Amino acid sequence: MRFHWRRLRAGELDHELIWLLVSVATAVLGTAWLRFGLPWPRCTFLAVTGLPCVTCGATRAAVAFLAGDTIGAWLMNPLVAVLLCVLVLFDLYAAAVLIARAPRLRISLTHPSAWRGIAAAAVLVGLLNWAYLLTL
Ligand SMILES: [Zn+2]
């Protein structure tokens, strides 16, 4: 895996702009949804099995996170809390490079099997998160 900084090429997808807009729009729409008292999402897996799925508690964790309660978010769903922290860092990075018109960080996988390792790590983290939720 190699990290490098470079300017956006002509015609290249602007991931920083797209994902910053998507995350901000999602936060605004999600906040509006809850402010208007619209129903919270229900988990079909929980309803059918009586067991939480890997994303159960994500909405409550996001609400706690947006209220500044990162510990509470962690306790409700650690994986979601970590992903929200990463998202905030990404949004700060994206806003900074967009405002400064700075070079963008790009990651190159130098070994063909790197994706398998990343996928295996993601599955392991998801399973650990699910195991935690099953203990609640
Ligand atoms: Zn669920």
PDB file of all heavy atoms in Angstrom, residues 43 45-46 52-56, ligand 1:
ATOM      1  N   CYS A  43     -35.227  -2.610  12.618  1.00  0.00           N
ATOM      2  CA  CYS A  43     -34.361  -3.665  12.117  1.00  0.00           C
ATOM      3  C   CYS A  43     -35.187  -4.928  11.864  1.00  0.00           C
ATOM      4  O   CYS A  43     -35.740  -5.512  12.805  1.00  0.00           O
ATOM      5  CB  CYS A  43     -33.249  -3.947  13.112  1.00  0.00           C
ATOM      6  SG  CYS A  43     -32.155  -5.271  12.578  1.00  0.00           S
ATOM      7  N   PHE A  45     -33.981  -7.820  10.856  1.00  0.00           N
ATOM      8  CA  PHE A  45     -33.258  -8.966  11.411  1.00  0.00           C
ATOM      9  C   PHE A  45     -33.585  -9.126  12.891  1.00  0.00           C
ATOM     10  O   PHE A  45     -33.863 -10.234  13.361  1.00  0.00           O
ATOM     11  CB  PHE A  45     -31.745  -8.778  11.215  1.00  0.00           C
ATOM     12  CG  PHE A  45     -30.925  -9.963  11.621  1.00  0.00           C
ATOM     13  CD1 PHE A  45     -30.747 -11.022  10.739  1.00  0.00           C
ATOM     14  CD2 PHE A  45     -30.318 -10.037  12.867  1.00  0.00           C
ATOM     15  CE1 PHE A  45     -29.990 -12.127  11.097  1.00  0.00           C
ATOM     16  CE2 PHE A  45     -29.568 -11.131  13.240  1.00  0.00           C
ATOM     17  CZ  PHE A  45     -29.398 -12.179  12.348  1.00  0.00           C
ATOM     18  N   LEU A  46     -33.605  -8.023  13.624  1.00  0.00           N
ATOM     19  CA  LEU A  46     -33.935  -8.060  15.052  1.00  0.00           C
ATOM     20  C   LEU A  46     -35.378  -8.506  15.260  1.00  0.00           C
ATOM     21  O   LEU A  46     -35.666  -9.308  16.155  1.00  0.00           O
ATOM     22  CB  LEU A  46     -33.708  -6.682  15.681  1.00  0.00           C
ATOM     23  CG  LEU A  46     -34.036  -6.541  17.163  1.00  0.00           C
ATOM     24  CD1 LEU A  46     -33.125  -7.428  18.006  1.00  0.00           C
ATOM     25  CD2 LEU A  46     -33.907  -5.080  17.596  1.00  0.00           C
ATOM     26  N   PRO A  52     -29.673  -8.780  17.605  1.00  0.00           N
ATOM     27  CA  PRO A  52     -29.278  -7.575  16.859  1.00  0.00           C
ATOM     28  C   PRO A  52     -28.436  -7.935  15.645  1.00  0.00           C
ATOM     29  O   PRO A  52     -27.699  -8.922  15.668  1.00  0.00           O
ATOM     30  CB  PRO A  52     -28.451  -6.797  17.884  1.00  0.00           C
ATOM     31  CG  PRO A  52     -27.932  -7.821  18.825  1.00  0.00           C
ATOM     32  CD  PRO A  52     -28.982  -8.907  18.881  1.00  0.00           C
ATOM     33  N   CYS A  53     -28.554  -7.133  14.598  1.00  0.00           N
ATOM     34  CA  CYS A  53     -27.685  -7.301  13.427  1.00  0.00           C
ATOM     35  C   CYS A  53     -26.421  -6.478  13.654  1.00  0.00           C
ATOM     36  O   CYS A  53     -26.279  -5.815  14.680  1.00  0.00           O
ATOM     37  CB  CYS A  53     -28.401  -6.870  12.146  1.00  0.00           C
ATOM     38  SG  CYS A  53     -28.556  -5.090  11.945  1.00  0.00           S
ATOM     39  N   VAL A  54     -25.523  -6.500  12.693  1.00  0.00           N
ATOM     40  CA  VAL A  54     -24.233  -5.820  12.860  1.00  0.00           C
ATOM     41  C   VAL A  54     -24.387  -4.296  12.890  1.00  0.00           C
ATOM     42  O   VAL A  54     -23.516  -3.600  13.412  1.00  0.00           O
ATOM     43  CB  VAL A  54     -23.230  -6.271  11.766  1.00  0.00           C
ATOM     44  CG1 VAL A  54     -23.593  -5.686  10.424  1.00  0.00           C
ATOM     45  CG2 VAL A  54     -21.809  -5.931  12.154  1.00  0.00           C
ATOM     46  N   THR A  55     -25.502  -3.768  12.371  1.00  0.00           N
ATOM     47  CA  THR A  55     -25.697  -2.318  12.387  1.00  0.00           C
ATOM     48  C   THR A  55     -26.726  -1.861  13.403  1.00  0.00           C
ATOM     49  O   THR A  55     -27.034  -0.671  13.454  1.00  0.00           O
ATOM     50  CB  THR A  55     -26.109  -1.805  10.991  1.00  0.00           C
ATOM     51  OG1 THR A  55     -27.364  -2.384  10.644  1.00  0.00           O
ATOM     52  CG2 THR A  55     -25.059  -2.133   9.946  1.00  0.00           C
ATOM     53  N   CYS A  56     -27.251  -2.765  14.206  1.00  0.00           N
ATOM     54  CA  CYS A  56     -28.217  -2.347  15.224  1.00  0.00           C
ATOM     55  C   CYS A  56     -27.570  -1.310  16.151  1.00  0.00           C
ATOM     56  O   CYS A  56     -26.421  -1.460  16.553  1.00  0.00           O
ATOM     57  CB  CYS A  56     -28.702  -3.544  16.041  1.00  0.00           C
ATOM     58  SG  CYS A  56     -30.146  -4.340  15.328  1.00  0.00           S
TER      59      CYS A  56
HETATM   60 ZN    ZN B   1     -30.255  -4.392  13.191  1.00  0.00          ZN
END
